[in-house]
Amino acid sequence: MLQRDISTAREVDPRTCVLEVVQLIVKHPFAELDRVAGFAFFRTWPKRSSLGGVFMMKQSLLAAFAVVTGLASLTACSSPSSTTAPNPPSTSPAPTSGKVTINWAASPIANVGIRKQLIQLFEKANPSIKVNLISQPSSTDTNRASLITEISGGSTTPDVFMGDVVWPGQFAAQSLAEPLNKHFPASFFTRFAPGLVQGATIKGNVYAAPFFMDAGFLYYRKDLLQKAHLPVPKTWEQLQSEAKTLVSNKMVKYGFVWEGASYEGLTCNWMEYLTDAGGQVFNAQGKPNMDTPAAQHALSFMRGLITSGVSPQAVSVFQEPQAMNTFNNGQAAFLRNWDYAWANSQTPGQSSVVGKVGVVPLPTFAGHGARGYACIGGWDLYINPHSKHMAADLTFINWMTSVPAQTVLASQYSEIPTNATVQNSPAVRAKNPVLSIVGQTNLVARPAQNPYYAKVSTAIYTNVNAALAGQVSVSTALSQANAQLASAVGSSSL
């Protein structure tokens, strides 16, 4: 009701607006008006527990009236280009008192109904906004291509979309995402864990709100290791040896499953092995650096997992769902997957290994340190610049990154929250063992801070996959990848 009242007040002339806003303050004396678009200056409004009672209320009313009067004379209760409050741009229709429907495009999150639960909770908290879910492809590349086609064509749908953390460079360059800092105050971005907002920032503008983080982890069957009297592996070589022992002893069908298909997920896996081996995709001068001894070591090991029988040949077409299902069905001893895999593996009805799983940071190559590297991933929330419901879009993003929504993601679905308060909550960490080991993990990012990243990643995963499938040699795959990387960064097209 408060949102509806204030939306109505903002449509009248400045003098009437001043009077109506003060009336609203009296009508809703303890409301958190700072959450309403355009009223960020009421952040200090006293709560019910404040001391001073009536005196403080009178003082706050006078202060609020003075601030509103000043703003009204300058902005007529509307500031489309303001960078201090989430106001809708002038091209969007003014908020109305009727119900608004926004379209949220999002690929499945762990395939366990997270999206629908969050929508239900949001609509309960914001009854004037209905969210229509558009389920996107689970393939990141297909999802990205679909959204680019729609938005670049001027479509107003979707209003909000969930996108990979590596998209800001390309989406900013092609004007496919609305700069959020044009609408949200700077204080909004302080809720996120360190470093996340920088990843969504291109040339001073923030193009996405961090939604949830991802990082790679090693999941293992505790019961199988105990029965075989084997320790939890700390090196890749040890994992390969133990997995081979378990398969040879017919204790499990597959030793180790992971994401080896020709898609973005393989780039993530590759970054973990390559970085741990001491390599990098580009050198300090920005030149392709894939055809090196470190890259040879990393890709030879990955191919060796398949040729040794530790990983099935089919792993070269595995994405996250295939790897997860194989592990959940009890057919694999080890799994490399994202943080969601913990909750997924512990869900009765979809997993046969409930209570039998452990999770640790990814291993390292022998002699390369105490632990390996995990590719940092995750998903952000973006706004279509052509959306006609900017105010509702902002309300949706504000709630989805708030403590209540992020607590659901972390405690019920083992996603790593981006909200720092939730990420550091002892209660949440107690329910999510993945959060307790995030700090022990060496994180590595993909080389995504440029508009050509889509081509860069394609050059990586297509050639690495060709080697995994045995279509080309390791040396040929790396040589071809290097040449394609040079072409990608030198291209004039995205």
Side-chain angles (χ1 to χ4, degrees), residues 139-141 144 164 166-167 259 261-271 319-320 338 375 379 446-448 453-454 456-458 460-461:
S139 168
T140 303
D141 303 301
R144 179 179 57 84
D164 200 310
V166 298
W167 291 1
E259 301 80 37
S262 183
Y263 81 120
E264 184 67 27
L266 179 54
T267 297
C268 297
N269 279 250
W270 171 247
M271 291 302 302
Q319 295 188 15
E320 285 87 354
W338 305 100
C375 182
W379 292 81
R446 287 164 281 175
Y453 175 72
V456 167
S457 184
T458 299
I460 293 171
Y461 66 66

Side-chain angles (χ1 to χ4, degrees), residues 396-410:
F396 180 68
I397 288 180
N398 181 51
W399 187 87
M400 292 291 267
T401 58
S402 68
V403 169
Q406 294 279 300
T407 299
V408 170
L409 277 170

Side-chain angles (χ1 to χ4, degrees), residues 28-39:
H28 306 281
F30 302 107
E32 293 185 335
L33 295 179
D34 61 301
R35 296 190 179 185
V36 179
F39 287 84

Side-chain angles (χ1 to χ4, degrees), residues 69-115:
T69 303
L71 287 178
S73 64
L74 293 172
T75 66
C77 286
S78 178
S79 180
S81 60
S82 171
T83 60
T84 60
N87 293 326
S90 57
T91 55
S92 297
T96 66
S97 58
K99 196 160 189 173
V100 174
T101 297
I102 62 172
N103 293 290
W104 178 36
S107 53
I109 307 173
N111 297 303
V112 288
I114 302 176
R115 297 171 301 174

Side-chain angles (χ1 to χ4, degrees), residues 97-380:
S97 58
K99 196 160 189 173
V100 174
T101 297
I102 62 172
N103 293 290
W104 178 36
S107 53
I109 307 173
N111 297 303
V112 288
I114 302 176
R115 297 171 301 174
K116 290 184 178 180
Q117 182 178 354
L118 289 174
I119 287 173
Q120 290 172 354
L121 293 172
F122 170 78
E123 291 179 341
K124 184 177 180 180
N126 299 272
S128 64
I129 304 174
K130 176 179 173 55
V131 179
N132 177 50
L133 174 64
I134 300 174
S135 191
Q136 293 291 102
S138 58
S139 168
T140 303
D141 303 301
T142 305
N143 183 9
R144 179 179 57 84
S146 171
L147 288 166
I148 288 175
T149 299
E150 288 185 76
I151 299 172
S152 62
S155 175
T156 58
T157 300
D159 296 286
V160 180
F161 58 96
M162 189 176 83
D164 200 310
V165 295
V166 298
W167 291 1
Q170 180 178 13
F171 277 59
Q174 293 183 284
S175 300
L176 300 174
E178 179 74 10
L180 299 184
N181 56 302
K182 303 289 186 183
H183 308 283
F184 282 120
S187 59
F188 167 79
F189 299 100
T190 63
R191 70 179 62 181
F192 300 107
L196 298 183
V197 174
Q198 287 89 324
T201 303
I202 305 295
K203 296 182 178 179
N205 283 322
V206 185
Y207 287 90
F211 186 28
F212 62 88
M213 290 175 57
D214 277 332
F217 294 94
L218 178 67
Y219 297 87
Y220 63 94
R221 287 281 299 280
K222 296 187 298 183
D223 57 325
L224 295 181
L225 294 186
Q226 290 171 358
K227 183 180 287 189
H229 305 290
L230 295 171
V232 178
K234 293 185 177 180
T235 68
W236 286 116
E237 294 85 355
Q238 185 182 5
L239 181 149
Q240 185 176 31
S241 175
E242 292 185 6
K244 194 168 186 178
T245 296
L246 294 172
V247 172
S248 298
N249 293 340
K250 301 189 183 306
M251 296 177 67
V252 69
K253 186 175 182 179
Y254 305 124
F256 180 39
V257 291
W258 37 286
E259 301 80 37
S262 183
Y263 81 120
E264 184 67 27
L266 179 54
T267 297
C268 297
N269 279 250
W270 171 247
M271 291 302 302
E272 293 165 352
Y273 289 105
L274 176 66
T275 307
D276 192 47
Q280 51 190 173
V281 176
F282 296 102
N283 62 21
Q285 290 72 44
K287 302 294 184 182
N289 200 42
M290 285 266 285
D291 198 3
T292 62
Q296 286 272 349
H297 179 53
L299 189 50
S300 295
F301 178 80
M302 295 172 74
R303 173 61 180 161
L305 290 171
I306 298 172
T307 57
S308 67
V310 166
S311 297
Q313 181 64 46
V315 83
S316 64
V317 295
F318 274 17
Q319 295 188 15
E320 285 87 354
Q322 291 78 30
M324 188 76 248
N325 290 339
T326 302
F327 187 76
N328 276 351
N329 291 338
Q331 295 181 305
F334 298 101
L335 165 72
R336 182 271 176 211
N337 212 320
W338 305 100
D339 40 277
Y340 81 88
W342 170 258
N344 199 295
S345 70
Q346 300 307 297
T347 302
Q350 70 178 25
S351 172
S352 63
V353 294
V354 176
K356 301 177 181 179
V357 178
V359 56
V360 292
L362 288 169
T364 181
F365 285 117
H368 285 251
R371 52 184 176 268
Y373 285 82
C375 182
I376 184 169
W379 292 81
D380 293 345

